[in-house]
Amino acid sequence: MSRGAPRSRTRRLGKQAAYAIAERLPAGTRDGFLEVARAVGSYFRGDGGASSDGGEPATRYREPRVSGRLFGRAALALERGDLDAALEQTADLVRRYPTSARVLDLRGRVLGKSGELTERAAVLHRRHSLTGDPLGVEQERGVLARVVETTPGWLPHLPGPAERLEPAGDDIVLHLLKASVPYATTGFTMRQRYNFIAAMQAGVRPVGVTELGFPRALGVTSFPRFEELDGIPHYHLDLGPTYPTDRPVDLLLADQAALIARVVREVRPAVIHASSGHRGYELALVGLALRRRFGIPLVYEVRSFFDASWTTDESLHGRAEQSDRRFETETRTMLAADHVLTIAEAMRDEIIERGIAPERVSVVPNSVDVDVFTPRPPDPALQARYGLEGMFTFGYVSNIDHPREGHELLLDATRVLRARGRRVRCLIVGDGTRAEEVRGYARQIGVGDDAVFTGLVPHDEVPGHYALMDVFVVPRRDERFARVVTPLKPYEALAMARPMILTDLPAHREIAAPDERGLVVPPADPEALADAIERLMDDPALAARIGENGRAWVAGNRRWSDNGPRFREAYRRALERSRAPGWPD
């Protein structure tokens, strides 16, 4: 028997096993499993993955021999998150082995993590040109779509000549939304809902249209294409379950613009109002395309800054191509809009620093319904459900999706307080993609019995959960998003007269007015947070004063109903600008 026979037999048996497993899988996951199985096999064979289902090479490509030591060192740098080293080492590998698909694949992954879009597209192109891998063509097209979307002057394509529509009324405003209640309950969708009601009360007629693919992308398969929510018309764009919403973003936005154009012709609004999307600017780009087609002014509501939201690596902010392109596109879009709205003074300051004229930027702050969120004693039955009887309780209400929320700081402070002999419980209200990770951290540091995770709580039950907390804590980390964006939940806690502690960031100081409506502590400092909690534990009069001040402030300054006139004024300014000679140039 030749030396290669046992190895060939092992490959054959491995392939048979893979297909046997695949036969037992649901149809939707079978192809993906086989793709992974082929990729793993090709990695060890060193053939770059260029084989067909029958195992025969799809091209004449053969993977060259690559230094395992150099390759392993670069792969390890990527694994441990040392992107500077990984970039340098994979660049050296590409110089040494320019025709290695394995090397190009590793280089592409490093560039993806580093946010270098243009070079990653070039590397993907070189790799699939070598191997003939059709999946590589799709990957390259997806990356190029991000480049196209952020190219100066690009807007989603709407074929045909310009149209001019007579508005059905100067009070009709078409809102471009990424999501809406009741299918998504987030800070953004709740802000949207309350502001729609406030605008309607101020004499505006809002109409909402959600992005293409919503709410189907959430797993909702049955929903009306048109419905009224709180008496406000909402359109849901849908091209059926087979429409690929993961297609290149430039094509997706073009389809979305074409579908919204139909809604524009039906509704005939006086103003288009685009709110921040997943990447920030994309709905505003659609709005600008619609403005060019129909001559309708655009108001852009900037709810956050998303130029760095593609990564959790703070070191890449401001130096990665993807961040730079997003930042520049966001700025160009704000400059092009007829009026810009935002949610906090800190955000308005940054928008003005980018060159937008101050008179074209207004703040419509996060607010609260003070008739729903009212001071109340804790519900004994709810306390018993969570085991909070007789325990001083502090906590947070938020989604558990992003590390910026800082749930780990709450748990670290819990450990400090328990070590000091304090009878405390940490209450974390909400759910999300990191929930199990945060629970695991609680167990890891030994506070699993002292931390209570409620999971997802229906919106109408949230006030009762605030009432369980002796202190409400906003533990966000020090990162750009948290420094400028004022979260919604603190306003609800203030309305319920909950004493509050926030990390010392500009947007949080705007809420707290330190020592007046809340205490502030340095970010990521569990000892300082524990000290502040103890200060409120030991001084009930201080805690009561802070809670009362907070309630009085939101009742006088942060009611949703106050936002209606702010919207109406922004729309008036946009319409006025659109009537000036030379608009929109």
Tab-separated table of all heavy atoms in Angstrom, residues 85-108:
chain	number	residue	atom	x	y	z
A	85	ALA	N	-0.065	44.317	14.811
A	85	ALA	CA	0.870	43.231	14.490
A	85	ALA	C	0.318	42.363	13.371
A	85	ALA	O	1.051	41.956	12.460
A	85	ALA	CB	1.148	42.390	15.734
A	86	ALA	N	-0.987	42.070	13.426
A	86	ALA	CA	-1.599	41.225	12.401
A	86	ALA	C	-1.526	41.892	11.028
A	86	ALA	O	-1.271	41.221	10.017
A	86	ALA	CB	-3.049	40.912	12.767
A	87	LEU	N	-1.737	43.199	10.985
A	87	LEU	CA	-1.639	43.914	9.712
A	87	LEU	C	-0.218	43.841	9.151
A	87	LEU	O	-0.021	43.567	7.961
A	87	LEU	CB	-2.047	45.378	9.897
A	87	LEU	CG	-3.550	45.664	9.992
A	87	LEU	CD1	-3.796	47.068	10.506
A	87	LEU	CD2	-4.231	45.465	8.642
A	88	GLU	N	0.754	44.080	9.995
A	88	GLU	CA	2.149	44.059	9.553
A	88	GLU	C	2.561	42.662	9.096
A	88	GLU	O	3.196	42.484	8.053
A	88	GLU	CB	3.045	44.529	10.694
A	88	GLU	CG	4.522	44.570	10.335
A	88	GLU	CD	5.392	45.037	11.492
A	88	GLU	OE1	4.837	45.573	12.475
A	88	GLU	OE2	6.625	44.857	11.415
A	89	GLN	N	2.184	41.644	9.877
A	89	GLN	CA	2.627	40.285	9.568
A	89	GLN	C	1.915	39.714	8.351
A	89	GLN	O	2.529	38.996	7.544
A	89	GLN	CB	2.428	39.396	10.802
A	89	GLN	CG	3.385	39.759	11.939
A	89	GLN	CD	2.942	39.215	13.282
A	89	GLN	OE1	2.063	38.360	13.357
A	89	GLN	NE2	3.552	39.702	14.358
A	90	THR	N	0.617	40.008	8.181
A	90	THR	CA	-0.071	39.499	6.985
A	90	THR	C	0.379	40.238	5.732
A	90	THR	O	0.402	39.664	4.639
A	90	THR	CB	-1.599	39.590	7.136
A	90	THR	OG1	-1.970	40.935	7.472
A	90	THR	CG2	-2.102	38.630	8.196
A	91	ALA	N	0.752	41.521	5.875
A	91	ALA	CA	1.305	42.232	4.721
A	91	ALA	C	2.599	41.568	4.268
A	91	ALA	O	2.846	41.397	3.060
A	91	ALA	CB	1.545	43.704	5.068
A	92	ASP	N	3.428	41.155	5.234
A	92	ASP	CA	4.670	40.459	4.907
A	92	ASP	C	4.372	39.111	4.252
A	92	ASP	O	5.034	38.714	3.272
A	92	ASP	CB	5.501	40.262	6.171
A	92	ASP	CG	6.793	39.508	5.899
A	92	ASP	OD1	7.612	39.999	5.106
A	92	ASP	OD2	6.970	38.410	6.473
A	93	LEU	N	3.357	38.411	4.758
A	93	LEU	CA	2.983	37.119	4.173
A	93	LEU	C	2.537	37.283	2.719
A	93	LEU	O	2.882	36.473	1.858
A	93	LEU	CB	1.868	36.473	4.998
A	93	LEU	CG	2.276	35.764	6.286
A	93	LEU	CD1	1.045	35.426	7.118
A	93	LEU	CD2	3.062	34.487	5.979
A	94	VAL	N	1.759	38.325	2.438
A	94	VAL	CA	1.289	38.545	1.069
A	94	VAL	C	2.461	38.853	0.143
A	94	VAL	O	2.490	38.401	-1.012
A	94	VAL	CB	0.240	39.671	1.033
A	94	VAL	CG1	-0.096	40.056	-0.407
A	94	VAL	CG2	-1.036	39.239	1.756
A	95	ARG	N	3.441	39.594	0.640
A	95	ARG	CA	4.627	39.864	-0.181
A	95	ARG	C	5.384	38.569	-0.483
A	95	ARG	O	5.878	38.371	-1.600
A	95	ARG	CB	5.547	40.858	0.535
A	95	ARG	CG	5.078	42.302	0.480
A	95	ARG	CD	6.156	43.261	0.957
A	95	ARG	NE	6.449	43.092	2.374
A	95	ARG	CZ	5.839	43.732	3.360
A	95	ARG	NH1	4.880	44.611	3.058
A	95	ARG	NH2	6.180	43.537	4.616
A	96	ARG	N	5.465	37.689	0.496
A	96	ARG	CA	6.204	36.435	0.318
A	96	ARG	C	5.418	35.420	-0.511
A	96	ARG	O	5.991	34.674	-1.296
A	96	ARG	CB	6.509	35.808	1.687
A	96	ARG	CG	7.534	36.567	2.516
A	96	ARG	CD	7.586	35.980	3.929
A	96	ARG	NE	8.544	36.652	4.783
A	96	ARG	CZ	9.784	36.223	5.017
A	96	ARG	NH1	10.213	35.114	4.433
A	96	ARG	NH2	10.588	36.896	5.817
A	97	TYR	N	4.083	35.381	-0.296
A	97	TYR	CA	3.263	34.342	-0.929
A	97	TYR	C	2.055	34.999	-1.601
A	97	TYR	O	0.900	34.824	-1.171
A	97	TYR	CB	2.792	33.334	0.124
A	97	TYR	CG	3.908	32.799	0.996
A	97	TYR	CD1	4.056	33.245	2.320
A	97	TYR	CD2	4.826	31.868	0.506
A	97	TYR	CE1	5.075	32.759	3.127
A	97	TYR	CE2	5.848	31.387	1.308
A	97	TYR	CZ	5.969	31.841	2.609
A	97	TYR	OH	6.986	31.362	3.403
A	98	PRO	N	2.265	35.747	-2.670
A	98	PRO	CA	1.176	36.505	-3.290
A	98	PRO	C	0.106	35.638	-3.937
A	98	PRO	O	-0.975	36.136	-4.249
A	98	PRO	CB	1.902	37.362	-4.333
A	98	PRO	CG	3.170	36.614	-4.637
A	98	PRO	CD	3.564	35.963	-3.353
A	99	THR	N	0.383	34.344	-4.146
A	99	THR	CA	-0.614	33.468	-4.777
A	99	THR	C	-1.168	32.448	-3.796
A	99	THR	O	-1.746	31.437	-4.207
A	99	THR	CB	0.006	32.727	-5.975
A	99	THR	OG1	1.100	31.919	-5.518
A	99	THR	CG2	0.487	33.711	-7.033
A	100	SER	N	-1.042	32.693	-2.505
A	100	SER	CA	-1.589	31.784	-1.494
A	100	SER	C	-2.992	32.227	-1.090
A	100	SER	O	-3.175	33.317	-0.530
A	100	SER	CB	-0.698	31.747	-0.256
A	100	SER	OG	-1.370	31.112	0.818
A	101	ALA	N	-3.984	31.391	-1.364
A	101	ALA	CA	-5.359	31.715	-0.974
A	101	ALA	C	-5.494	31.766	0.541
A	101	ALA	O	-6.247	32.587	1.082
A	101	ALA	CB	-6.334	30.691	-1.559
A	102	ARG	N	-4.778	30.867	1.253
A	102	ARG	CA	-4.831	30.884	2.714
A	102	ARG	C	-4.311	32.203	3.252
A	102	ARG	O	-4.879	32.788	4.178
A	102	ARG	CB	-3.995	29.736	3.292
A	102	ARG	CG	-4.571	28.350	3.065
A	102	ARG	CD	-3.612	27.289	3.596
A	102	ARG	NE	-3.428	27.401	5.034
A	102	ARG	CZ	-2.297	27.114	5.673
A	102	ARG	NH1	-1.224	26.742	4.991
A	102	ARG	NH2	-2.227	27.213	6.976
A	103	VAL	N	-3.212	32.685	2.707
A	103	VAL	CA	-2.641	33.955	3.148
A	103	VAL	C	-3.590	35.112	2.824
A	103	VAL	O	-3.830	35.995	3.653
A	103	VAL	CB	-1.265	34.171	2.499
A	103	VAL	CG1	-0.804	35.615	2.657
A	103	VAL	CG2	-0.243	33.211	3.104
A	104	LEU	N	-4.145	35.112	1.616
A	104	LEU	CA	-5.066	36.176	1.239
A	104	LEU	C	-6.322	36.152	2.097
A	104	LEU	O	-6.864	37.207	2.457
A	104	LEU	CB	-5.434	36.047	-0.243
A	104	LEU	CG	-4.287	36.314	-1.224
A	104	LEU	CD1	-4.713	35.940	-2.639
A	104	LEU	CD2	-3.852	37.781	-1.164
A	105	ASP	N	-6.781	34.941	2.430
A	105	ASP	CA	-7.949	34.835	3.297
A	105	ASP	C	-7.660	35.438	4.669
A	105	ASP	O	-8.471	36.198	5.217
A	105	ASP	CB	-8.355	33.365	3.437
A	105	ASP	CG	-9.548	33.193	4.359
A	105	ASP	OD1	-10.640	33.659	4.003
A	105	ASP	OD2	-9.378	32.598	5.445
A	106	LEU	N	-6.509	35.117	5.238
A	106	LEU	CA	-6.139	35.663	6.544
A	106	LEU	C	-5.985	37.181	6.456
A	106	LEU	O	-6.453	37.919	7.338
A	106	LEU	CB	-4.846	35.017	7.033
A	106	LEU	CG	-4.336	35.472	8.413
A	106	LEU	CD1	-5.358	35.156	9.504
A	106	LEU	CD2	-2.996	34.815	8.732
A	107	ARG	N	-5.333	37.651	5.402
A	107	ARG	CA	-5.162	39.089	5.216
A	107	ARG	C	-6.520	39.783	5.117
A	107	ARG	O	-6.738	40.845	5.713
A	107	ARG	CB	-4.348	39.357	3.953
A	107	ARG	CG	-4.161	40.831	3.592
A	107	ARG	CD	-3.294	41.556	4.585
A	107	ARG	NE	-3.021	42.926	4.153
A	107	ARG	CZ	-2.422	43.836	4.908
A	107	ARG	NH1	-2.024	43.525	6.135
A	107	ARG	NH2	-2.201	45.062	4.460
A	108	GLY	N	-7.454	39.170	4.393
A	108	GLY	CA	-8.788	39.747	4.263
A	108	GLY	C	-9.505	39.849	5.593
A	108	GLY	O	-10.175	40.841	5.883
